[in-house]
Amino acid sequence: RLDVQGRLQADQALFVLPDGTAPRQGDDVVIATRAAPADAEAATPRSPAETPGAGVPVQTTLARALALGPDLRVQGRGIVTRLAGTLQLRAAAGEAPQLQGEVRTVRGSYKAYGQLLDIEQGVLRFNGRYDNPALDILAVRPNLTQRVGVQITGTANVPRVRLFSEPEMAEAEKLAWLVL
């Protein structure tokens, strides 16, 4: 049995998201590759007696804490922010990796509807698969007499975006305050 545990801190990083959608192949494109062995010896199958550890299954588990340090930044697609938080990564042999924890935005901004909005609340909550965190984001237009903005909830795969105002007003009024 092999158990790997530990803590990793990312002190500084910059993730730049491309402004456009990255190109991808069409659904009718299939790419086939053939892996060639590095040398003839690698291609020769070994008997179980010749293979180190052969016949002994190794159960591997991984448990790592990932702390987002003081200078982890994301920019692109309208967002400029620093990230903070801690995530727990767990993986066991034969299972998909799981993430637990949350990532928060710190002093971020988001450009939407032609306006630069302040991110007042930005949280991605991970509770299972890494590729579909829960979203809790509120970006508000600064320096207005009304509080208006955009609220994003749901998950990364199925986000729910709605206009936000405080106090509540009609959708057309929210949009007018946000855009004009």
Side-chain angles (χ1 to χ4, degrees):
R1 181 177 170 96
L2 175 64
D3 289 328
V4 180
Q5 298 182 10
R7 179 178 168 85
L8 177 66
Q9 179 164 324
D11 289 329
Q12 185 178 41
L14 172 62
F15 296 95
V16 179
L17 306 174
D19 285 330
T21 304
R24 66 178 196 88
Q25 297 94 354
D27 294 334
D28 60 338
V29 176
V30 177
I31 299 174
T33 62
R34 187 181 327 194
D39 58 29
E41 183 180 326
T44 307
R46 295 181 176 183
S47 71
E50 297 175 309
T51 306
V56 181
V58 177
Q59 291 182 328
T60 305
T61 58
L62 172 69
R64 301 284 294 188
L66 174 60
L68 305 181
D71 194 18
L72 197 90
R73 300 182 181 278
V74 173
Q75 69 183 42
R77 296 199 181 185
I79 191 166
V80 175
T81 190
R82 188 171 75 77
L83 299 177
T86 303
L87 297 171
Q88 301 290 328
L89 170 67
R90 295 207 175 279
E95 296 178 12
Q98 303 288 306
L99 276 179
Q100 302 288 325
E102 64 182 41
V103 174
R104 298 174 311 284
T105 62
V106 178
R107 291 186 302 276
S109 63
Y110 180 66
K111 188 169 186 172
Y113 300 101
Q115 304 296 328
L116 192 61
L117 309 177
D118 290 340
I119 301 175
E120 289 188 357
Q121 176 177 317
V123 180
L124 281 75
R125 289 185 181 89
F126 294 87
N127 189 18
R129 289 186 53 99
Y130 65 91
D131 60 351
N132 195 24
L135 306 173
D136 189 2
I137 301 167
L138 177 63
V140 176
R141 186 166 174 199
N143 306 320
L144 290 179
T145 56
Q146 295 285 352
R147 280 180 39 89
V148 295
V150 178
Q151 187 171 36
I152 304 169
T153 57
T155 65
N157 289 341
V158 186
R160 289 186 297 273
V161 180
R162 72 176 194 91
L163 296 176
F164 164 84
S165 71
E166 194 175 83
E168 188 62 34
M169 59 180 76
E171 293 294 309
E173 287 182 77
K174 292 178 194 177
L175 189 57
W177 275 98
L178 186 61
V179 174
L180 302 176

